[in-house]
Amino acid sequence: MTRKNLVLLRWTTAASFAALISACAATPEPAPQSSAPTPPSQKPHVEATTSTPPSVVTTDSAPVTRTSTISPGDPRGTPGAPPYSGPVGPFAPTGNAEMDAWRQDFVSRATARGTNPALLYALLKDIRPLDIYLGPDNQSEVANQAEFSKAIWEYLRTAVTDNRFQTGRQKLAELGPVFDRIEATYGVNREVVSAIWAMETNFGGYMGNFSAANTLANMAVEGRRRSFAESEILALVEIVEKGFARLDQLGSGWAGAMGHTQFMPSTYLAYAQDYDGDGLANVWSSSPDALASAANYLSVSGYRFDQPWGVEVLAPQGFDWSMADGNDRRLSSWKSAGLSPIRGGGFGVDDSDYAELWLPAGATGPKYLLFRNFDVFKTYNRSNSYAFAVGLLADGLAGQYGPVAAWPTNIQRLTFDEVKQLQSALNQLGYNAGGVDGIVGSGTRGALRQFQQANGLIADGYPSRPALNEVLARLRS
């Protein structure tokens, strides 16, 4: 059966099923694309490589038994529930004077704007400093996260695994009717939703054993994202006030993201879905609710059903690698330049569609044309490595494993301090690499690419040890 026929069969099956249970709600209308939706998680993703303590909530990955005829929709909560009531203070000291001062100030400001003081007290009375934010070795810096500190092949070794393919296939089979309905309602491929689930919590296996309120309070006290963290705490207040969840359900990961598919509180309010029709969008213990919520978010972000996120390509001899500059070009332009799918066949999109050439490990490693769906993955998590892992997992679950080309593991990557050395040297030579922060971003790659072009080198912008040596040699000359 062709992929197209399989999709038609899935949609027909889901539509028939929906009719049998008298479900008649319309597909959510996408938000205007002029402004991107709030990412489910505002953190750099951390890939867990060790076992994680059990979550504060239980998981539910078995097929749901539907007893309601309500089709997927927004979280309904408990309309007309009485306002939350209880003690309003005083707070006991946390052992951290800065945290105590912040809490008192935040509660004063929030209650002055009309926020329920009893609910603020209940959320914040047990907060305590966490070493990850307020300890001597603050670990919340972007540079310490897996996507930014590991070689991409090392990152993928723990993100795209045989175990995840095996578990993913099991979940797709167990939750077949759920995924049928999700595809028909939101227009997001089941393999992609499953890949997000795998990346975020290993299919609900490690949702985090943190308190969302405590984590966000620590983030606020730490200071760099205070405004964001405070707004997310107020979103937690709204979640409880509207009856979407109880206080004791608000467990999270290390950055305050919650549930099977790791939604920040504000993203929960905007995109969470009550799949099973029980009146609550329970992303913590109902995997169908969480999966529908993730699909809704991806749909609103502009996901295109059954279209590629990226295609691995071959390039002809003498190809101009400086075209891997982060700019989108029409597929017709890339084809004219000699790029072709490494597996043969077509690209699966129109020649008028736009794509970016991406060299995750330079000109000697795998090469990809990236399409719109890759950018949609990045609205979930801004890291290229994260989005790449989602794409590879989704493709593998659909039966196509990649990449085909080998990784250039023999090329020495730069350490954090060596990246800073490279950035400083490029700036001194007149190539604007931006701030000397040890993080390889588009500015660093662009500056290196310009240097390579000016000196007759392969202009792929890949920050390797040989590239650093070339830059330092020119600086000394």
Side-chain angles (χ1 to χ4, degrees):
M1 182 178 292
T2 65
R3 175 71 172 174
K4 181 177 181 181
N5 289 337
L6 178 59
V7 170
L8 289 173
L9 177 61
R10 288 175 178 171
W11 281 55
T12 302
T13 302
S16 300
F17 182 80
L20 287 172
I21 63 171
S22 303
C24 57
T27 300
E29 180 180 353
Q33 292 301 305
S34 58
S35 59
T38 304
S41 172
Q42 294 275 345
K43 69 186 185 304
H45 181 84
V46 175
E47 178 57 39
T49 56
T50 59
S51 60
T52 300
S55 171
V56 293
V57 294
T58 59
T59 64
D60 173 18
S61 56
V64 69
T65 301
R66 281 180 288 276
T67 58
S68 168
T69 60
I70 301 172
S71 60
D74 293 334
R76 280 175 283 278
T78 310
Y84 188 93
S85 61
V88 297
F91 289 110
T94 65
N96 182 299
E98 189 179 1
M99 176 170 275
D100 292 340
W102 166 82
R103 180 172 59 183
Q104 199 62 51
D105 175 66
F106 171 70
V107 169
S108 296
R109 288 184 282 116
T111 53
R113 294 195 299 266
T115 306
N116 185 332
L119 189 44
L120 285 170
Y121 176 77
L123 276 171
L124 300 175
K125 64 185 178 66
D126 294 323
I127 63 172
R128 293 292 182 271
L130 296 171
D131 283 346
I132 193 172
Y133 287 104
L134 303 178
D137 299 318
N138 184 315
Q139 300 170 48
S140 62
E141 288 280 2
V142 171
N144 291 333
Q145 308 315 322
E147 288 95 334
F148 301 92
S149 61
K150 287 184 177 181
I152 191 164
W153 52 86
E154 294 173 354
Y155 173 76
L156 295 175
R157 191 175 298 127
T158 57
V160 183
T161 64
D162 289 342
N163 182 64
R164 283 187 171 173
F165 285 127
Q166 180 180 355
T167 305
R169 284 190 289 269
Q170 291 172 353
K171 297 300 183 185
L172 289 172
E174 290 173 5
L175 299 170
V178 173
F179 283 110
D180 286 341
R181 198 171 174 202
I182 283 174
E183 282 191 343
T185 304
Y186 306 104
V188 180
N189 292 85
R190 64 189 64 206
E191 296 87 0
V192 167
V193 179
S194 186
I196 292 285
W197 192 14
M199 288 295 295
E200 290 300 322
T201 62
N202 207 23
F203 307 99
Y206 49 82
M207 290 185 283
N209 63 340
F210 292 86
S211 154
N214 190 43
T215 294
L216 292 166
N218 273 266
M219 187 185 298
V221 175
E222 192 264 354
R224 284 174 300 172
R225 309 186 73 191
R226 176 166 294 181
S227 177
F228 167 77
E230 290 181 349
S231 69
E232 294 297 325
I233 294 172
L234 294 177
L236 285 177
V237 170
E238 186 175 349
I239 287 171
V240 176
E241 279 186 324
K242 290 186 174 179
F244 296 147
R246 303 183 309 272
L247 279 168
D248 62 353
Q249 284 182 290
L250 301 178
S252 76
W254 70 273
M258 307 180 301
H260 280 263
T261 50
Q262 294 290 279
F263 269 20
M264 294 302 292
S266 62
T267 312
Y268 174 94
L269 290 171
Y271 304 105
Q273 299 285 281
D274 174 22
Y275 172 91
D276 56 23
D278 66 355
L280 297 172
N282 188 346
V283 300
W284 298 271
S285 57
S286 170
S287 54
D289 281 6
L291 296 171
S293 300
N296 183 43
Y297 177 82
L298 294 169
S299 177
V300 172
S301 299
Y303 183 86
R304 294 180 178 180
F305 185 78
D306 223 34
Q307 290 201 8
W309 58 270
V311 175
E312 190 177 358
V313 295
L314 289 172
Q317 189 97 13
F319 181 80
D320 181 6
W321 297 110
S322 68
M323 294 178 72
D325 55 6
N327 291 319
D328 286 329
R329 297 174 175 83
R330 291 190 187 274
L331 179 59
S332 56
S333 297
W334 293 117
K335 290 166 73 173
S336 296
L339 297 186
S340 61
I342 197 169
R343 301 175 191 270
F347 283 94
V349 296
D350 295 334
D351 281 0
S352 59
D353 280 5
Y354 285 87
E356 170 195 344
L357 177 60
W358 185 47
L359 310 176
T364 59
K367 310 156 188 66
Y368 279 81
L369 282 183
L370 303 178
F371 297 95
R372 181 186 179 111
N373 283 346
F374 188 85
D375 293 330
V376 172
F377 299 164
K378 288 183 68 176
T379 67
Y380 214 105
N381 183 303
R382 296 186 181 97
S383 161
N384 279 338
S385 296
Y386 173 91
F388 190 36
V390 168
L392 292 177
L393 281 168
D395 284 354
L397 289 171
Q400 179 174 284
Y401 301 93
V404 175
W407 293 108
T409 57
N410 60 312
I411 298 179
Q412 290 181 295
R413 293 180 69 255
L414 301 183
T415 65
F416 180 79
D417 288 337
E418 286 173 333
V419 171
K420 293 175 70 173
Q421 192 178 9
L422 173 67
Q423 292 167 330
S424 176
L426 286 168
N427 286 337
Q428 292 178 63
L429 289 170
Y431 302 98
N432 183 14
V436 180
D437 57 8
I439 300 172
V440 177
S442 58
T444 302
R445 291 181 183 274
L448 178 57
R449 190 180 302 111
Q450 292 171 12
F451 168 84
Q452 290 168 329
Q453 280 182 297
N455 290 277
L457 305 169
I458 294 176
D460 60 4
Y462 184 59
S464 63
R465 188 72 57 76
L468 174 61
N469 291 339
E470 292 282 358
V471 171
L472 294 178
R474 184 53 56 105
L475 184 64
R476 298 187 192 104
S477 63

